[in-house]
Amino acid sequence: MVKTDGFRGRDYITMLDYTREEIETMIDVALDLKRKFAVGEPHKLLDAKTLFMIFYNQSLRTRNSFEAGMTQMGGHAHFLDPGKIYAPALEGDEKAYSTERVSDVARVLARMGHGIAIRCYGDPVGWIYGRANEVINNFAHWADIPVINMECDKYHPCQALADVMTVKEKFGDYKGVRFVMSWAYSPSVHKPLAVPQSAVIGATKMGCETVLAHPKGMELDDEVIKQCKIYAEENNTSFEIMYDIEEAFEGADVVYPKAWTCREFIPPWNDKPELEKSQELFDKNKHWICDDDKMKIAGPKSLYMHCLPCDRGFEVSNSVVDGPQSIVWDQAENRLHGQKAVMALTMR
Ligand code: CP
């Protein structure tokens, strides 16, 4: 039986805050909503409710899946551009008449609607790792309605939910599924750690045999790695770190190659953000591309995943992303259904 109590009013900022059983419930609800959407069965679970969405960064999938999802459930998702309101700012980062303290924005929006969703990472917080996560947690502290993380500098839990949901659809279960999260080359170093960190959290939490592969110097947050090891142990499975893309791809059921920036050049690992220094390390690793040769190593049954947008010709070849092993469109579609489940469960 699906256990749906205990969700109402909760924030969704990281998967770390939810048990494996709760994530399974979210996926069950998401699959039910996906079926209802497919057959045109009404599901106005959030009739007349409002989700406020604050985007400090650009988005295609996240914005449109939340907007479509709220429409389908009878509510409204309201888009807020920080440049067109008084940009929500933490105490100490305020600028008269152009920002407004997060505590104040959160309490105002909480009087008017039923959920607040925020995307914030990178330039808006000066590339100080953890600062965007602090902004979202500060919203959650002050708002007495659910706060949803639409991607910060640490986590992208909505992407991770769609990822594990897609794995479940393709394999039926997580046990024995070898899930390889790999770094891949991009001409842009301006990519946060949120997607790979949430992907390995999701994969280990749900019980996949998880591999994290990257060139030396592209490490993720030590706390995330520590937690993944705990999840892998709890699930009696494995979590390995590898430094060779070809070795990592051998025997993979799922490969998920994408770029992320080099943490050594952002605070707190560096005194100040010097992302351009990442470029040198990036450029030494152009061979970290997911192309036909790499997919041959993975094998014909291996599936290719990416959160999108992907950098074609750099992270991945056209032949792979557009080829028969690619499941990126299913992943993108599941953003809609996963987030509808999160909203239906928390914003009721
Ligand atoms: N994957 C993802 O979050 O896509 P957007 O940046 O388009 O929202």
Side-chain angles (χ1 to χ4, degrees):
M1 196 175 79
V2 179
K3 193 168 171 285
T4 55
D5 58 326
F7 285 91
R8 192 189 301 241
R10 279 173 72 182
D11 306 312
Y12 186 56
I13 297 174
T14 166
M15 259 193 191
L16 298 172
D17 296 338
Y18 286 78
T19 63
R20 175 176 175 172
E21 186 191 27
E22 286 171 334
I23 300 297
E24 276 168 356
T25 296
M26 285 182 188
I27 294 169
D28 285 341
V29 172
L31 290 168
D32 184 46
L33 293 173
K34 186 171 184 176
R35 184 194 62 77
K36 285 185 164 75
F37 179 69
V39 298
E41 190 178 317
H43 47 284
K44 299 212 177 295
L45 303 170
L46 296 178
D47 192 30
K49 295 200 171 180
T50 303
L51 175 74
F52 294 109
M53 302 185 301
I54 307 173
F55 278 96
Y56 289 84
N57 310 84
Q58 69 271 36
S59 168
L60 173 73
R61 281 140 290 269
T62 307
R63 176 176 174 179
N64 290 292
S65 50
F66 271 109
E67 289 200 14
M70 277 304 280
T71 303
Q72 290 159 23
M73 293 196 290
H76 171 65
H78 191 74
F79 175 79
L80 293 165
D81 174 352
K84 298 284 189 309
I85 53 175
Y86 309 98
L90 291 173
E91 189 176 353
D93 291 347
E94 296 157 281
K95 205 167 149 198
Y97 210 45
S98 72
T99 66
E100 187 165 358
R101 194 172 287 189
V102 167
S103 58
D104 304 354
V105 180
R107 283 177 290 182
V108 168
L109 295 180
R111 295 283 180 107
M112 297 177 180
H114 306 86
I116 303 174
I118 303 139
R119 166 168 285 195
C120 183
Y121 59 81
D123 288 330
V125 282
W127 281 97
I128 300 166
Y129 179 78
R131 189 72 170 159
N133 182 256
E134 203 181 327
V135 168
I136 295 177
N137 277 308
N138 203 241
F139 264 99
H141 175 79
W142 290 102
D144 57 4
I145 56 175
V147 167
I148 299 173
N149 180 357
M150 296 195 293
E151 187 172 7
C152 68
D153 40 15
K154 288 185 161 187
Y155 309 116
H156 196 349
C158 296
Q159 181 65 55
L161 182 61
D163 296 344
V164 292
M165 177 178 170
T166 308
V167 169
K168 171 109 189 225
E169 284 182 317
K170 300 298 173 191
F171 296 93
D173 195 5
Y174 302 101
K175 202 170 171 53
V177 174
R178 192 164 175 85
F179 181 99
V180 178
M181 179 76 230
S182 168
W183 186 85
Y185 173 73
S186 164
S188 170
V189 296
H190 289 82
K191 301 196 182 198
L193 308 182
V195 168
Q197 294 193 158
S198 290
V200 290
I201 287 169
T204 52
K205 181 185 270 286
M206 303 314 284
C208 294
E209 271 176 32
T210 308
V211 174
L212 171 66
H214 58 76
K216 287 205 168 133
M218 294 296 180
E219 282 72 21
L220 298 181
D221 187 330
D222 301 333
E223 287 300 313
V224 169
I225 300 301
K226 198 168 134 194
Q227 189 56 54
C228 287
K229 287 179 183 163
I230 293 170
Y231 286 147
E233 204 171 305
E234 282 172 4
N235 284 314
N236 201 20
T237 182
S238 55
F239 175 58
E240 292 171 84
I241 300 180
M242 296 186 178
Y243 303 103
D244 182 299
I245 186 168
E246 296 185 351
E247 188 189 350
F249 270 42
E250 270 172 35
D253 293 301
V254 174
V255 293
Y256 196 150
K258 92 163 287 298
W260 63 83
T261 202
C262 175
R263 70 175 199 183
E264 297 310 318
F265 300 113
I266 55 172
W269 294 282
N270 201 36
D271 289 344
K272 54 181 183 183
E274 295 181 295
L275 270 75
E276 60 289 352
K277 288 193 179 167
S278 291
Q279 197 66 57
E280 208 177 306
L281 188 55
F282 268 53
D283 290 347
K284 278 188 194 149
N285 290 292
K286 287 187 178 172
H287 59 289
W288 285 66
I289 177 173
C290 186
D291 55 12
D292 291 329
D293 289 343
K294 304 287 189 326
M295 289 308 288
K296 270 199 197 103
I297 295 170
K301 288 192 179 157
S302 181
L303 300 176
Y304 166 77
M305 294 179 81
H306 196 291
C307 57
L308 302 178
C310 61
D311 293 321
R312 286 170 179 260
F314 299 104
E315 290 179 303
V316 62
S317 65
N318 289 323
S319 55
V320 171
V321 69
D322 294 327
Q325 288 166 271
S326 171
I327 54 168
V328 297
W329 319 117
D330 300 317
Q331 256 179 293
E333 179 187 355
N334 284 338
R335 294 293 307 277
L336 170 69
H337 307 296
Q339 288 154 208
K340 280 170 73 177
V342 170
M343 293 189 286
L345 287 163
T346 63
M347 289 167 55
R348 282 178 295 148

